C-alpha cells in the first residue's frame, strides 16, 4: 500500500477557498485515479469528486462549479481545489487513490488519513 499524506484543511469563512493535497509519501510511477470523499457528523460519507488518469472528472451536484479535482504526476500528488465554500461543505475529507509504484506493478488502492475542513458563517 502507498502511504498518502493529506494536507490543506482548516477553518475558513463561508465564501472562502481551500486547496486540499493528497501526496504519496514515496516516489511512484503514476496516480491512475483519485476519489475525494467527505464525512460530515451524523451524515453518510459522500463522494465529492473523482478523476481518472485520462483526465475525466466527475463531481457531486452539491460541489459542481465550485470544486476542481486534479492530478500532478510529476509531484505524486492529487488536489481538490474548493472555492465558494459553504457551511455544508464542513467535514473530514479523504482521498482514495489507485496508483502504480512501477510501470510493471499491479495497481494499489490507498486512502489518506483525512483532513478536517470547517466552514464558518
Amino acid at each position: 500500500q502507498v502511504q498518502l499524506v493529506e494536507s490543506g484543511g482548516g477553518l475558513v469563512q463561508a465564501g472562502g477557498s481551500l486547496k486540499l493535497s493528497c501526496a504519496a509519501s514515496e516516489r511512484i510511477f503514476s496516480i491512475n485515479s483519485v476519489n475525494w470523499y467527505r464525512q460530515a457528523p451524523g451524515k453518510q460519507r459522500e463522494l465529492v469528486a473523482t478523476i481518472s488518469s485520462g483526465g475525466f472528472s466527475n463531481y457531486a451536484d452539491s460541489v459542481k462549479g465550485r470544486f476542481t479535482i486534479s492530478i500532478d504526476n510529476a509531484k505524486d500528488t492529487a488536489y481538490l481545489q474548493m472555492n465558494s465554500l459553504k457551511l455544508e461543505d464542513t467535514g473530514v475529507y479523504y482521498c482514495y487513490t489507485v496508483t502504480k509504484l512501477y510501470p510493471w506493478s499491479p495497481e494499489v488502492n490507498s486512502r489518506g488519513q483525512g483532513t478536517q475542513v470547517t466552514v464558518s458563517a
Side-chain angles (χ1 to χ4, degrees), residues 63-79:
V63 307
K64 271 181 187 174
R66 300 188 298 119
F67 289 13
T68 303
I69 188 173
S70 61
I71 296 173
D72 186 341
N73 273 302
K75 296 182 178 180
D76 300 326
T77 302
Y79 301 98

Side-chain angles (χ1 to χ4, degrees), residues 65-111:
R66 300 188 298 119
F67 289 13
T68 303
I69 188 173
S70 61
I71 296 173
D72 186 341
N73 273 302
K75 296 182 178 180
D76 300 326
T77 302
Y79 301 98
L80 185 67
Q81 176 69 49
M82 307 186 295
N83 299 326
S84 302
L85 283 161
K86 303 177 180 181
L87 297 179
E88 52 265 40
D89 294 320
T90 294
V92 179
Y93 285 69
Y94 298 92
C95 61
Y96 289 75
T97 67
V98 177
T99 61
K100 298 190 78 172
L101 192 56
Y102 301 104
W104 55 85
S105 301
E107 289 184 329
V108 174
N109 296 307
S110 303
R111 194 198 82 167

Side-chain angles (χ1 to χ4, degrees), residues 25-38:
S25 61
E26 60 187 302
R27 196 72 178 94
I28 59 176
F29 173 69
S30 65
I31 300 174
N32 289 356
S33 66
V34 181
N35 292 331
W36 283 95
Y37 285 84
R38 67 186 176 194

